[in-house]
Amino acid sequence: MTTVRYLCLLLPVALTLGAARLERGREARFAALLAFVAAAVGIAALTELARPTGWYAFAPVDGTFRGMPVDLWLGWALLWGPIPVLLRGLLPLPVALGLLCWLDVVAMPQLRPLVHLGPSWLVGEAVGLLCVALPAQLLGRWSADRRRLPARVLLQLGVFTALVLWLLPTVVFEFGDGSWDRLGRLPTTSLFVLAQLGVLLAVPALAAVREFAVRGGGTPYPWDPPRRLVTTGPYGYVGNPMQVSTVGLLLLLSMATGSGWLAVAALAGVAFGVGVAGPHERRDLDDRYGPAWRRYRAQVRDWWPRWRPYPSDGPTALLWLDGDCGPCGVVGTFLDRRDPRRLLLRPAAEHDRPLRRARYADGDGHQERGVAAVARALEHVTLGWAYLGWLLRLPGVAWLAQLVTDAMIAPPHLTRPRGEECPTPSSDSSTGPSPPSVRTASPGFPPGPSPAPPG
């Protein structure tokens, strides 16, 4: 079995090195590394699922992780991850998946007695190809070719969430203290509270990931970064929102599972970020963005947030609200009293097109409507209100908040002439067209022309 184990690792390593010589693009090589991480995490999860289903099992040997030989695990991840990505010019995705399936069907029975195949192991093979190999290939290929940004961001988010909040704790539990069983024995009420705390801690990271994609045109992966400097959203308050959320989630998980070593791992991550990753990242950002980055860095810290947003020298954002609509007027007054930074409030009647909902437009062309527009405006006030804005713009939350607003607070309606009352759920639930708006300033908002929305 020793020879088999060596071959299971050394042959994929040799194939990976050969494929890397054919693909000399730096971005493609780092995309292949990302595919390897995705495949490794997925194979670990697949092996956990294979245990109760009886798809396959491994002989009791040394050098295993939860019963899976580490060398076989790494070789398997190389085959399902980086090799087809590096050879994507020669192996289209269907061909690559077909070859992987053929290789497994031929090789797996030959690995006895190291691998014990169950009666339904082909089912496990199909699940692995569809749920592990396919996502790893899509992530690697899209990242290498810089395609399908929203999809690769979602795949990255899934991979790194599983890596940090499942695989890393599992490794710690296996070789240190704590266990998932302790978490499972908690009362339902405690689990519900922990889940709520976890969501609250994750909000800055989720909002930061979205900001990277929407405003920066990139992803959280260090070798697939945003194309422009992102200083909005959570980055207007703290330099490392993703790391702050990750450390908070690991500390919460360490308390729930009784693992002191997991807390040590979280603090070690902070030390690594401060001493190793931080300086490298700062040099890279300084090279790419120069003075703009240095101005940002001088006022925004990595681990301790600001109370007021970063005073960017970019164009002022605009928020159009219908001042004759009661709820919109309340929102406008609320924001105006809190002296929002780098935000101007404008009557919706002054917009160059009739509006049905509030509209937010920033200088880089980014726009939001409805509840999302108001949530964006909250980012211009203070940290607490900005956090509420990030929460309101999360997928699902934003949809539900808009649905409740339309049904119970202020239905969508075209901007109405000054002084004409807007419909409310209690007086007029219709969302049909209204008479065209008159270009006059609404009470409570500064008069005068506003620039056309960017983009």
Side-chain angles (χ1 to χ4, degrees), residues 300-390:
V300 180
R301 292 164 289 191
D302 281 343
W303 296 93
W304 191 258
R306 297 168 54 92
W307 180 244
R308 294 275 284 170
Y310 169 63
S312 170
D313 52 5
T316 299
L318 300 174
L319 177 67
W320 284 277
L321 293 169
D322 184 0
D324 289 321
C325 175
C328 300
V330 170
V331 170
T333 302
F334 169 86
L335 290 170
D336 189 54
R337 288 178 177 175
R338 281 155 182 80
D339 187 25
R341 178 167 288 176
R342 207 180 61 80
L343 177 71
L344 290 179
L345 304 179
R346 285 290 181 259
E350 291 185 358
H351 197 272
D352 62 347
R353 295 186 301 272
L355 300 179
R356 297 180 64 85
R357 291 189 173 100
R359 177 70 62 89
Y360 172 96
D362 209 340
D364 60 0
H366 177 73
Q367 298 195 24
E368 302 273 8
R369 294 184 298 172
V371 172
V374 176
R376 271 291 183 189
L378 292 176
E379 295 177 2
H380 295 261
V381 184
T382 58
L383 178 61
W385 291 112
Y387 180 92
L388 177 60
W390 306 333

Side-chain angles (χ1 to χ4, degrees), residues 59-130:
V61 294
D62 294 331
T64 64
F65 172 69
R66 295 185 61 80
M68 177 171 53
V70 173
D71 37 22
L72 187 59
W73 180 20
L74 296 177
W76 198 355
L78 289 172
L79 288 172
W80 279 18
I83 294 174
V85 170
L86 294 169
L87 298 176
R88 66 193 185 284
L90 302 174
L91 298 176
L93 183 58
V95 175
L97 292 176
L99 285 175
L100 291 176
C101 180
W102 172 81
L103 181 62
D104 282 354
V105 169
V106 171
M108 292 283 277
Q110 307 305 316
L111 295 179
R112 294 190 183 95
L114 179 61
V115 179
H116 302 284
L117 299 178
S120 59
W121 76 274
L122 288 175
V123 175
E125 175 69 16
V127 171
L129 288 172
L130 292 176

Side-chain angles (χ1 to χ4, degrees), residues 422-441:
C422 76
T424 62
S426 59
S427 62
D428 184 0
S429 60
S430 171
T431 59
S434 304
S437 63
V438 176
R439 300 283 178 169
T440 57

Side-chain angles (χ1 to χ4, degrees), residues 125-309:
E125 175 69 16
V127 171
L129 288 172
L130 292 176
C131 299
V132 179
L134 177 59
Q137 286 304 301
L138 291 176
L139 178 56
R141 289 166 186 251
W142 289 342
S143 299
D145 300 328
R146 293 294 190 269
R147 295 185 295 128
R148 300 185 181 273
L149 176 61
R152 73 178 194 261
V153 167
L154 288 175
L155 285 173
Q156 281 189 27
L157 183 61
V159 168
F160 288 116
T161 298
L163 175 64
V164 173
L165 297 182
W166 174 71
L167 186 57
L168 174 61
T170 302
V171 172
V172 171
F173 301 157
E174 188 75 7
F175 301 104
D177 59 350
S179 70
W180 291 113
D181 291 339
R182 175 166 176 168
L183 183 64
R185 290 194 297 268
L186 292 175
T188 303
T189 303
S190 300
L191 290 174
F192 183 67
V193 171
L194 284 172
Q196 289 181 311
L197 291 175
V199 170
L200 294 177
L201 287 171
V203 165
L206 295 174
V209 169
R210 185 181 184 191
E211 206 72 8
F212 265 18
V214 173
R215 307 296 289 272
T219 76
Y221 187 50
W223 295 282
D224 185 12
R227 301 307 194 190
R228 67 177 79 178
L229 180 63
V230 178
T231 61
T232 53
Y235 289 96
Y237 290 88
V238 64
N240 283 342
M242 297 183 206
Q243 292 89 329
V244 170
S245 286
T246 299
V247 170
L249 287 168
L250 286 176
L251 291 176
L252 178 67
L253 190 58
S254 73
M255 290 187 292
T257 57
S259 175
W261 281 109
L262 190 55
V264 171
L267 297 178
V270 175
F272 177 81
V274 172
V276 179
H280 171 77
E281 180 186 42
R282 287 192 289 272
R283 285 193 299 270
D284 176 62
L285 291 170
D286 192 27
D287 291 341
R288 284 195 283 148
Y289 303 117
W293 157 252
R294 289 192 287 273
R295 286 194 300 271
Y296 172 79
R297 178 63 188 170
Q299 300 191 54
V300 180
R301 292 164 289 191
D302 281 343
W303 296 93
W304 191 258
R306 297 168 54 92
W307 180 244
R308 294 275 284 170

